[in-house]
Every structure is written in structure tokens, then in C-alpha cells.
Amino acid sequence: MNAKKILVVLPHPDDEVFPMSGTLSQYILDGAQVTYVCLTLGEMGRNLGNPAFANRVSLPQVRKKELQHSCEIIGIQDLRFWGYHDKTVEFEPYEPLDKRILEVIEEVKPEIIFTYYPGHGVHPDHDACGAAVVRTVKEMAPEMRPEVWCCAFPNREMRKPDRVLDISALIDKKLGALRAHSTQFQVPNPLDPNKEEDKAFLERIKTEQFWIFDFNE
């Protein structure tokens, strides 16, 4: 994994975990610098822990701390919060949002940007975030464009992923990142690989897949 500068642009705390935490951990172990831009604090999320330990007022700061902890586990040192409101990214005017994304691209100079594939998230913020990244990169000169690696939910019609990565060697980091988001996920610790439910979960999270956006489509 040769990329040395990576930019992650996602809308919510915890969006990094299932799709890409193992992949990012491997890049970091191989010497990459990762900048993670999180657009919102996920303040409209319904999950408050089980049993609940956050409330509607405290949830934004709780989720901010959870993401900081997750990033520590993954190895991400440059984490940025942009302060947009959860569930409203789709309504943000294109020009100022795209300008901010371009500015961070020009600053970081990433070889790869990780985001959501437009139209293939499970939340309007996913699609709006990915669309903003794609719009911005598309306006760049072709020779200056970083690759855009998109995560997606392929229950909708999609071509086969371009990258399917086995992150089994980093499963402990991924589980740690999942557990860091304790309002959102309740992952037993430890998991029992002899228990069918736990075995199936471990099998499901050991691969991460990405679609590289084709700007010639």
C-alpha cells in the first residue's frame, strides 16, 4: 500500500469504522499520513447507548469524543470537525462546501480520498458528502486528481468493487474502533469465535471493499 497522503471525508462520527478502519490502519502502518474531515457530529442520531448514557443535549460532544478515541486506535492524528448540522448536508450550498473540500485537498495533497459513493449510501448525508467530493475532484485538472475510493452499500445495483481488502491482521484495531463508538455499537468483549453469531460477525467485518470513482463515466 504505497499511498503516503490520504484524505478521508465522511459525514458522521463512526462512518469510518465498518467500511475502512482496517484499510486506514494498514496505510498508517505503512507510513501514510491520514487527514480525516468529519462534516457533522451526528447529533441527530437515535442511538444513545444501550443502556442509554447520553441524551439529546450531550450526544454531540459524546460522539466527538468517541470519534477521537476511534481515531487514536486506528492511528489517525489529523482529525478535523467542520461543524455542519447532521441530516442537513444535502441542503448545503454547493459552492462553499466544494470550496472547503478543494482547500483541504490543496493543503493535504492526497493521493487517495476516501468517501461515500454518491447514490449508494444509506443516509442522505452519505450521498451528499460523496457527491461534494466527486464534484470537487471532477473540476480539477485530470493529471492533478487524486483517486477517489468510495465505500458503498451494494444491496443496490452496482458493479463489482475495484478493491476487496482482507484486514484480518488488523481485526483488533477494527474491533477497538467499533467499541470506541459505544453510543452506536455494542460489541461484546471478548467475542467468542466458537459462537456462531460472533463467528459470522468476525467473518463479515474482515474484508473492506471500495469502488474507485471513474471520472470518465
Side-chain angles (χ1 to χ4, degrees):
M1 304 181 93
N2 296 321
K4 295 303 179 186
K5 292 185 178 180
I6 289 171
L7 176 63
V8 179
V9 184
L10 297 170
H12 311 117
D14 82 41
D15 280 340
E16 81 288 350
V17 182
F18 277 109
M20 64 187 71
S21 56
T23 299
L24 295 176
S25 294
Q26 186 61 65
Y27 269 113
I28 290 166
L29 287 172
D30 290 342
Q33 296 178 351
V34 175
T35 296
Y36 180 179
V37 170
C38 188
L39 299 187
T40 82
L41 292 176
E43 63 269 24
M44 299 300 291
R46 295 182 179 182
N47 296 327
L48 302 173
N50 187 16
F53 62 88
N55 57 44
R56 303 313 312 173
V57 174
S58 67
L59 185 62
Q61 289 307 309
V62 170
R63 295 199 70 184
K64 181 177 181 179
K65 290 178 181 177
E66 288 178 345
L67 181 53
Q68 290 169 330
H69 186 200
S70 173
C71 287
E72 288 172 5
I73 292 167
I74 295 168
I76 298 169
Q77 295 183 333
D78 185 5
L79 172 61
R80 307 183 188 189
F81 295 96
W82 276 10
Y84 293 102
H85 197 277
D86 189 17
K87 293 191 176 180
T88 69
V89 178
E90 64 182 312
F91 304 114
E92 289 295 328
Y94 287 0
E95 186 175 346
L97 176 56
D98 297 1
K99 183 174 183 248
R100 288 188 79 179
I101 293 172
L102 181 59
E103 287 172 350
V104 78
I105 291 172
E106 290 175 341
E107 174 197 347
V108 173
K109 296 179 173 58
E111 294 145 89
I112 300 173
I113 302 177
F114 286 87
T115 192
Y116 276 100
Y117 203 109
H120 293 277
V122 293
H123 189 297
D125 284 354
H126 293 171
D127 294 333
C129 177
V133 171
V134 166
R135 280 195 311 269
T136 303
V137 176
K138 190 172 185 177
E139 290 300 310
M140 298 173 68
E143 67 274 12
M144 300 299 292
R145 290 175 187 156
E147 288 189 346
V148 177
W149 287 31
C150 301
C151 55
F153 293 86
N155 52 317
R156 306 180 188 182
E157 289 185 10
M158 281 197 78
R159 58 183 168 83
K160 292 183 179 180
D162 299 293
R163 300 284 188 275
V164 179
L165 305 178
D166 186 334
I167 56 89
S168 299
L170 293 158
I171 203 76
D172 287 343
K173 280 186 175 287
K174 186 164 189 171
L175 289 170
L178 277 166
R179 293 183 179 117
H181 292 284
S182 53
T183 57
Q184 307 305 301
F185 310 116
Q186 287 75 50
V187 181
N189 191 9
L191 289 165
D192 184 352
N194 296 313
K195 186 177 177 181
E196 284 303 316
E197 182 180 357
D198 290 357
K199 183 178 179 181
F201 178 72
L202 290 167
E203 184 67 22
R204 181 163 64 91
I205 68 170
K206 78 175 186 179
T207 56
E208 296 175 354
Q209 55 189 18
F210 303 95
W211 289 259
I212 299 175
F213 195 88
D214 184 356
F215 288 94
N216 296 315
E217 286 182 347

